[in-house]
Amino acid sequence: MKPLKRILYIEDEIDIQTVMRMSLERLGGFELLVCNNGIDAVAKAPGFAPDLMLVDVMMPGMDGPTTVTTLRTMEEFATTPVVFITAKVQPHEVARLRELGAIDVISKPFDAMTLPQHLQSLWRLHTG
Amino acid sequence: MRFTIGRKLWLGYAFVISMILLIFVIALVFNYRNRETINDRERSDGFVRQITALRTNLLDAENSQRGFLITGDQIYLAPYGDAVERLRDDMATLNRLVATAAPGQAARMQTVNELMGAKLQQMAQLVTLRRATGFDAARDGLRDEDSIPLAVRLRGAIDQLATGERLYRTITDARFESEQALWRSGIWVTLGSIFVLGAAGAFFLQRTLTRRLRRLAQAAERFGQGKLDERVAVGGNDEISDLARSFNQMAEVKAVQRRALEARETQLRTIFTNAADGILTVDGEGLIKDVNPSAAIAFGRDANLMRGEKASRFFAEEEERLFQIVREQLADPGHRPRELTIKRPGGATVPVEMTMQRTLHDDKPVVICILRDITERKRVDQLKNEFVSTVSHELRTPLTSINGSLELVLGNVTGEVLPETRAMLTIAQNNSRRLVRLINDILDIEKIESGHVAFDFRQLSVADVARSAIDANRGYGERFTVGLELLGGDIDANIYGDSDRLQQVLANLLSNAIKFSPTGGTVQLALSRIGDAVQFQVRDQGTGIPPEFQGRIFDKFAQADASDSRQKGGTGLGLSIAKSIVERHGGTIGFTTSPAGTVFSFTLPELPAATAAPVAASVSANAGPRVLICEDDSDVANLLRMMLRQGGYEADIARTASQAKVMLNEHAYAAMTLDLILPDQDGISLIRELRAREAGSSLPIVVVSIEATERAAELNGELNGDVVGIVDWIQKPIDQTRLIESIRRATFTPDRTPRILHVEDDLDILRVTEVVLRDVAEMVSATSLAEAKSLLRRNRYDLILLDITLGDGSGLELLPLLHGTSGGAGGDTTPVIIFSADEMPRDISRAVSAALVKSHTSNEQLSRTIERMIERGGQIRTVHQAGTA
């Protein structure tokens, strides 16, 4: 079983990006490609071949689900598992994201100290 | 004195009777007089006859005396003596009779007596003279008589007597005649007066009774026609007057009532006309009887054109769905409104909320529907949702950065933190966490109160819930040096609830209790059973709740002391949320407090033991197969259970569809009986839902419903055609034999261990499947298409578990061998389960018994499906044999 290594992270909030880098790169030891928004991701992500996509839902211009749908059209991202991260935690919103095929929806604020472990266990569940 | 009709009638009777008596008396007197007259006549006739006899005898005496006087022959003396004798007799008789004779006769009789006496003396003297002296002396004697001879005078006297009698007769006859005439006229007069008085009485009756009665009747009729002011002139003092008075009183009361009724009807009509909500009355045939203006506006149609139309025409829902909604709403004891969609002309739709109420109108059932346009509410809801969502997002986003940064810094990810810096950052972290909790709580309470959050109700053990809560909050207690203690943890009770939400309630209560307990104190969680409910009590040793705060303790942001709350890290929403959650569970929450401590307690309805069957029961070796009865009517459910027990089945009862789902998830049932009308879900939709779930996908279902026949016909075998069909549709009242027969067919298990052929090229999967299934079946494996074909030619199997992608071809090639005559040992079809990594095209899934996708299928689901298949295979064969035997 392949361990979780490369994560494509799409988020428009610079502060949260910083926190996330600290959590996932420093703490979790993952290889992170951070994109500022959907358009940025479509431009930068190809070739990165991530194991997992971590996508913020609310973003200006192209929102998370649309970004994922767009990336899915590329072969490289067609089957890449997605974890959404959102501040909108109303059940119907979560349900909608699950319908899009997300393996998990993480609500903001998340626990930066335990997030790497959480992603690892999600990964194990998904691939195992 | 009251001159009542009764008395009047009695008077009439008395008059008639006395008149009849009078006639009777008259007739009696008349008769008596008649008889008197006849007697008098007879007497008179006798008298006259006696006079005649007297004359005759006088003549005889004279003749025979004269004969002797002339001849002196003795021979005349004998007849003379006889005649004299007779004369004396006659005179005696006459004298006797004259006593009763007419007046004046006595004097005449006296004359006759005197003259007769003289005559007889004279005659006797002459006889004596003749005898002594001879003829001449006698002759002289005759001459010596007076100038008028005695004989003549005597005869004259006698004649006078006779004439007197005759005259008397004439007079009495005449008098009698006139008297008779008088009596007769008397009778006529009496009869005439009866007639006249009778006529007068009848007229009087007509006048006083009939006419008054008619007047009364007419008044009553007019009153009935709605002339409420109609009254009757009372007049008189008899029964009719009483009746008239009563009528007037009744009319008065009725008039008052009618006016009240009319006033109310006017009121209702006004409400109907002016109500902001639409009101619709629909009759038993689903036709609209009446529409109020608001409804007409909501429907965007003319009220007059809607009347008499089918109500379903104006709704967007399918008629069947609509009827189901109406049925559900009418059966709902809580009368919760249902959401429907109105179809406006031109195709626009309007969401409405509708409450329905069955009632009677002119003895016919009607349904009154009250509908409210909820377009605006939906829009507001939508706005609110968006707002809540946005606020939540906008608040959480900065908090994410703050929280994350603080956590990482305090987690030493950026390097060692100085103690003083750490203290400051911890304050920041605590407050950012508090802010997050506050946002979460606000969102939570908003969701719970608006009913937007779906609770995940399951059967829960009370003791487990309590133990989890204690474990989860022990750490928090340690921070405050407060111990947690569970009392009554051995309670054997189940509830029906959302585990996470109940933990939330208990965490709220326990953390509150911990916060307000003195250091070193103990918080107790006590469990007990109260009637049909289970009670949770959280007891602290704090100082109690201040009285001024007690009334609003469950209010939002209620804090005994704002600074206190902040100090203790609460949001002021915990109890409010707890209350909402408990109430959503159908429970109640409350508290008692004293300076020695506070007890918060909540009760939840206990799940009856019958429905809370232990899982072990279904697999215990001795018990019969277990059947789930899904039926909301407890009497019917108990009846079904009794019938099933007689048939050798164990049965559990689920009263609602959601309960049934929970129980199906938690226990293995051999079959289920299903009522189509359930309080929370339609039976058919439950079947469809079960089909989509792994626990219910292979469950044989026997529908037991009053609608069984019609719904079966409606669905036209649609559900029977699925992988696992409905075994039977049983109409209520329940036929026990048929029920048991159906369940038996559904749960048939062959006596010998079934043999399963597993065609699979992945050895790992083969091994896993064998482990999973070796308890229920004898497993034979084939790792290639060729091997499978060869095995199938030689043996027959009860079930084939088939992978499609095999090293030497597609598993689907085996299907023709299994259907029909070529390969199988028998002529019948062996059930096949496709167990493959790929989703099946639909046409192929129809050809096989079940198609399972590897990555989506749990071992348990596989095992369960296979068990069902084996049993059904047996059942198919049984039926087949029965058919050919």
Side-chain angles (χ1 to χ4, degrees):
Chain A
M1 191 182 70
K2 188 178 171 232
L4 176 60
K5 186 70 191 159
R6 297 163 78 82
I7 298 177
L8 172 63
Y9 175 48
I10 311 169
E11 166 69 71
D12 60 316
E13 282 276 329
I14 304 300
D15 288 348
I16 301 183
Q17 280 182 15
T18 313
V19 171
M20 198 61 100
R21 271 185 203 283
M22 194 73 84
S23 170
L24 296 184
E25 286 182 348
R26 276 285 261 288
L27 202 60
F30 298 118
E31 201 175 308
L32 212 60
L33 176 65
V34 180
C35 303
N36 290 324
N37 51 54
I39 296 147
D40 191 24
V42 172
K44 272 161 61 182
F48 180 65
D51 299 323
L52 185 93
M53 297 191 275
L54 186 60
V55 185
D56 182 31
V57 176
M58 285 284 283
M59 290 185 292
M62 195 190 254
D63 71 359
T66 316
T67 305
V68 170
T69 315
T70 313
L71 288 172
R72 284 261 190 254
T73 59
M74 301 179 216
E75 204 179 336
E76 186 183 344
F77 306 102
T79 57
T80 313
V82 175
V83 172
F84 280 111
I85 179 155
T86 179
K88 289 195 172 187
V89 288
Q90 297 206 72
H92 62 98
E93 290 161 339
V94 174
R96 188 173 63 93
L97 296 174
R98 293 254 184 215
E99 273 167 28
L100 287 168
I103 61 168
D104 196 19
V105 178
I106 293 171
S107 66
K108 287 185 188 173
F110 51 88
D111 186 339
M113 289 301 284
T114 58
L115 186 65
Q117 289 156 15
H118 181 70
L119 290 182
Q120 280 291 7
S121 49
L122 271 180
W123 178 254
R124 272 197 299 276
L125 265 175
H126 180 70
T127 53
Chain B
M1 194 183 78
R2 265 161 60 84
F3 197 45
T4 62
I5 295 171
R7 283 179 177 143
K8 280 173 196 165
L9 284 175
W10 277 119
L11 209 67
Y13 295 148
F15 170 73
V16 170
I17 288 167
S18 58
M19 280 299 149
I20 288 167
L21 273 175
L22 186 63
I23 291 172
F24 184 69
V25 168
I26 290 172
L28 215 62
V29 172
F30 185 76
N31 190 42
Y32 174 73
R33 288 296 299 163
N34 211 9
R35 189 150 305 278
E36 212 175 34
T37 309
I38 288 162
N39 287 343
D40 197 42
R41 273 187 187 161
E42 276 170 8
R43 181 204 54 79
S44 185
D45 286 350
F47 197 68
V48 171
R49 265 197 312 275
Q50 206 58 49
I51 290 170
T52 313
L54 185 73
R55 278 190 68 126
T56 310
N57 289 328
L58 180 63
L59 199 63
D60 280 358
E62 275 178 340
N63 284 343
S64 39
Q65 184 229 15
R66 274 190 197 124
F68 177 69
L69 286 179
I70 293 165
T71 64
D73 194 344
Q74 292 287 334
I75 201 157
Y76 288 103
L77 285 177
Y80 165 71
D82 289 346
V84 169
E85 275 309 304
R86 281 202 300 275
L87 270 176
R88 287 188 201 286
D89 287 348
D90 286 341
M91 283 307 285
T93 308
L94 276 172
N95 273 313
R96 204 178 63 244
L97 286 173
V98 86
T100 57
Q105 290 294 77
R108 285 187 200 104
M109 192 62 208
Q110 192 53 44
T111 313
V112 172
N113 276 335
E114 281 166 14
L115 289 171
M116 185 59 79
K119 177 70 181 177
L120 286 175
Q121 198 182 358
Q122 187 192 44
M123 284 198 337
Q125 276 172 354
L126 283 173
V127 168
T128 313
L129 205 60
R130 176 67 176 87
R131 205 177 275 157
T133 59
F135 177 72
D136 291 336
R139 188 191 60 197
D140 291 344
L142 281 171
R143 269 184 210 140
D144 281 345
E145 281 179 63
D146 297 336
S147 53
I148 302 165
L150 184 64
V152 175
R153 279 192 286 151
L154 179 61
R155 283 209 172 73
I158 291 168
D159 285 348
Q160 264 186 15
L161 195 62
T163 311
E165 193 62 37
R166 268 185 218 105
L167 188 67
Y168 168 74
R169 266 293 287 280
T170 314
I171 292 165
T172 53
D173 277 1
R175 204 168 55 207
F176 179 68
E177 284 302 321
S178 72
E179 205 175 63
Q180 221 174 15
L182 186 71
W183 287 123
R184 243 180 236 122
S185 62
I187 287 174
W188 280 119
V189 165
T190 312
L191 283 173
S193 58
I194 289 178
F195 176 77
V196 169
L197 286 171
F203 177 74
F204 171 78
L205 275 181
Q206 194 268 338
R207 200 183 150 73
T208 62
L209 300 180
T210 322
R211 216 174 59 183
R212 287 165 68 205
L213 281 173
R214 196 184 307 128
R215 231 166 39 203
L216 203 55
Q218 284 164 351
E221 196 181 328
R222 279 195 296 271
F223 184 79
Q225 286 162 357
K227 290 186 181 153
L228 298 181
D229 295 327
E230 192 67 31
R231 296 289 181 277
V232 188
V234 173
N237 185 20
D238 58 11
E239 289 89 337
I240 295 182
S241 321
D242 290 349
L243 195 59
R245 249 191 300 278
S246 300
F247 171 82
N248 286 346
Q249 272 172 12
M250 182 203 75
E252 197 58 50
V253 172
K254 278 278 156 206
V256 169
Q257 286 177 347
R258 186 86 74 94
R259 275 188 207 103
L261 206 66
E262 279 170 4
R264 208 160 58 212
E265 199 170 310
T266 313
Q267 237 172 30
L268 286 175
R269 187 42 62 181
T270 312
I271 293 170
F272 183 78
T273 315
N274 299 308
D277 285 347
I279 304 172
L280 207 64
T281 50
V282 179
D283 69 9
E285 269 95 63
L287 302 178
I288 295 176
K289 283 180 72 76
D290 211 350
V291 185
N292 79 339
S294 295
I297 290 168
F299 283 100
R301 290 167 204 265
D302 185 342
N304 291 321
L305 297 178
M306 288 181 72
R307 284 190 197 100
E309 292 287 334
K310 252 184 135 33
S312 54
R313 259 195 57 195
F314 303 108
F315 289 92
E317 282 79 8
E318 293 287 317
E319 198 165 325
E320 190 190 327
R321 170 86 192 117
L322 201 62
F323 286 163
Q324 190 195 333
I325 292 170
V326 172
R327 267 201 304 270
E328 279 172 10
Q329 213 278 337
L330 290 175
D332 178 6
H335 292 296
R336 282 186 305 254
R338 296 294 195 271
E339 282 187 17
L340 292 168
T341 314
I342 278 180
K343 218 161 52 183
R344 280 196 176 152
T349 57
V350 180
V352 291
E353 188 180 78
M354 193 145 104
T355 330
M356 284 155 271
Q357 182 76 52
R358 221 193 304 252
T359 181
L360 284 180
H361 186 259
D362 294 338
D363 286 336
K364 291 198 188 88
V366 291
V367 173
I368 297 177
C369 313
I370 297 176
L371 48 95
R372 177 172 294 181
D373 186 339
I374 50 169
T375 315
E376 184 58 19
R377 201 182 72 194
K378 288 234 155 189
R379 203 177 62 81
V380 171
D381 268 4
Q382 177 73 24
L383 279 177
K384 195 176 79 175
N385 279 341
E386 277 168 15
F387 177 75
V388 167
S389 184
T390 308
V391 166
S392 131
H393 177 258
E394 294 307 322
L395 291 174
R396 276 160 193 268
T397 302
L399 275 170
T400 306
S401 308
I402 298 170
N403 232 18
S405 310
L406 290 169
E407 261 162 18
L408 291 167
V409 172
L410 287 167
N412 292 334
V413 176
T414 52
E416 203 59 40
V417 183
L418 293 171
E420 272 182 10
T421 316
R422 177 173 290 277
M424 292 298 112
L425 289 179
T426 306
I427 291 171
Q429 189 186 31
N430 283 343
N431 281 282
S432 86
R433 278 184 181 157
R434 192 170 120 73
L435 212 47
V436 172
R437 272 202 304 278
L438 197 57
I439 294 165
N440 287 345
D441 279 1
I442 291 172
L443 286 174
D444 240 13
I445 200 155
E446 194 279 327
K447 278 185 294 189
I448 294 167
E449 284 186 350
S450 64
H452 282 145
V453 61
F455 277 35
D456 182 17
F457 284 103
R458 284 166 189 280
Q459 181 181 320
L460 302 171
S461 151
V462 172
D464 287 352
V465 170
R467 268 192 290 272
S468 307
I470 294 276
D471 290 345
N473 291 279
R474 187 155 277 138
Y476 189 72
E478 279 161 8
R479 269 171 55 193
F480 290 81
T481 340
V482 172
L484 290 180
E485 193 182 356
L486 177 63
L487 302 177
D490 55 347
I491 189 170
D492 179 24
N494 288 289
I495 48 166
Y496 190 56
D498 181 325
S499 177
D500 290 347
R501 293 293 173 179
L502 290 178
Q503 288 303 333
Q504 195 179 352
V505 173
L506 283 167
N508 266 316
L509 298 182
L510 288 171
S511 60
N512 272 346
I514 290 166
K515 277 183 281 185
F516 293 101
S517 284
T519 308
T522 306
V523 168
Q524 290 175 332
L525 172 57
L527 305 175
S528 57
R529 192 184 261 119
I530 297 178
D532 297 338
V534 179
Q535 187 177 50
F536 292 74
Q537 286 185 311
V538 177
R539 202 171 288 137
D540 68 39
Q541 295 167 329
T543 53
I545 301 163
E548 65 276 10
F549 179 53
Q550 290 174 13
R552 52 190 177 89
I553 192 155
F554 290 110
D555 291 356
K556 283 172 212 158
F557 297 109
Q559 292 154 353
D561 175 352
S563 62
D564 189 46
S565 164
R566 265 196 295 282
Q567 191 189 327
K568 304 277 186 187
T571 60
L573 285 168
L575 285 174
S576 183
I577 292 172
K579 184 168 188 277
S580 296
I581 293 174
V582 168
E583 283 170 358
R584 275 289 293 273
H585 279 77
T588 52
I589 188 164
F591 68 95
T592 56
T593 183
S594 75
T598 303
V599 181
F600 273 92
S601 48
F602 66 95
T603 53
L604 300 175
E606 188 184 349
L607 204 58
T611 59
V615 182
S618 59
V619 292
S620 79
N622 296 333
R626 189 163 281 267
V627 176
L628 179 64
I629 297 165
C630 188
E631 167 68 64
D632 60 325
D633 184 316
S634 59
D635 289 341
V636 177
N638 288 328
L639 177 72
L640 279 168
R641 180 155 62 178
M642 204 187 68
M643 287 175 165
L644 287 168
R645 276 195 184 144
Q646 283 174 4
Y649 295 93
E650 289 299 308
D652 293 333
I653 295 168
R655 308 225 182 270
T656 61
S658 40
Q659 205 183 333
K661 283 178 246 173
V662 170
M663 294 173 76
L664 285 170
N665 268 344
E666 291 171 4
H667 317 296
Y669 287 100
M672 172 165 88
T673 77
L674 177 66
D675 183 13
L676 292 181
I677 308 163
L678 294 167
D680 54 344
Q681 194 177 357
D682 177 67
I684 298 294
S685 78
L686 176 62
I687 296 172
R688 292 203 165 108
E689 197 183 317
L690 289 177
R691 287 288 146 64
R693 291 156 52 123
E694 55 178 86
S697 62
S698 59
L699 180 77
I701 295 169
V702 177
V703 172
V704 180
S705 172
I706 47 168
E707 290 186 339
T709 313
E710 54 179 294
R711 296 296 288 274
E714 232 171 75
L715 290 162
N716 201 16
E718 184 196 328
L719 289 170
N720 297 9
D722 284 0
V723 170
V724 173
I726 292 170
V727 173
D728 201 357
W729 300 79
I730 295 179
Q731 188 75 14
K732 285 180 186 169
I734 304 151
D735 175 349
Q736 187 181 1
T737 320
R738 182 165 167 188
L739 173 73
I740 299 297
E741 183 50 40
S742 302
I743 296 287
R744 192 150 287 153
R745 261 196 286 141
T747 58
F748 181 86
T749 324
D751 292 335
R752 63 188 174 78
T753 313
R755 267 205 308 179
I756 297 176
L757 175 64
H758 190 184
V759 186
E760 171 69 71
D761 56 0
D762 185 332
L763 294 176
D764 285 340
I765 293 180
L766 272 179
R767 256 198 306 280
V768 169
T769 316
E770 214 223 317
V771 170
V772 169
L773 293 173
R774 66 178 164 212
D775 287 338
V776 295
E778 181 194 336
M779 299 299 294
V780 177
S781 53
T783 50
S784 67
L785 195 59
E787 192 186 347
K789 280 180 180 166
S790 122
L791 281 170
L792 277 171
R793 277 194 205 96
R794 279 180 283 124
N795 305 308
R796 68 159 298 166
Y797 298 91
D798 297 292
L799 181 81
I800 316 293
L801 200 52
L802 187 62
D803 186 9
I804 294 185
T805 19
L806 296 165
D808 54 343
S810 164
L812 294 173
E813 284 177 47
L814 291 173
L815 290 181
L817 292 177
L818 302 166
H819 292 260
T821 53
S822 59
D828 48 356
T829 300
T830 309
V832 176
I833 296 175
I834 302 281
F835 191 52
S836 164
D838 306 308
E839 295 273 8
M840 279 298 97
R842 213 174 146 63
D843 52 339
I844 292 174
S845 354
R846 276 208 211 95
V848 301
S849 301
L852 303 172
V853 180
K854 276 175 186 166
S855 60
H856 296 182
T857 308
S858 69
N859 288 344
E860 197 195 347
Q861 190 190 359
L862 172 67
S863 152
R864 227 180 291 171
T865 309
I866 286 170
E867 279 180 51
R868 295 281 165 246
M869 283 304 130
I870 294 162
E871 286 164 13
R872 271 162 43 80
Q875 169 229 326
I876 291 161
R877 275 196 301 283
T878 309
V879 171
H880 184 76
Q881 282 160 7
T884 52

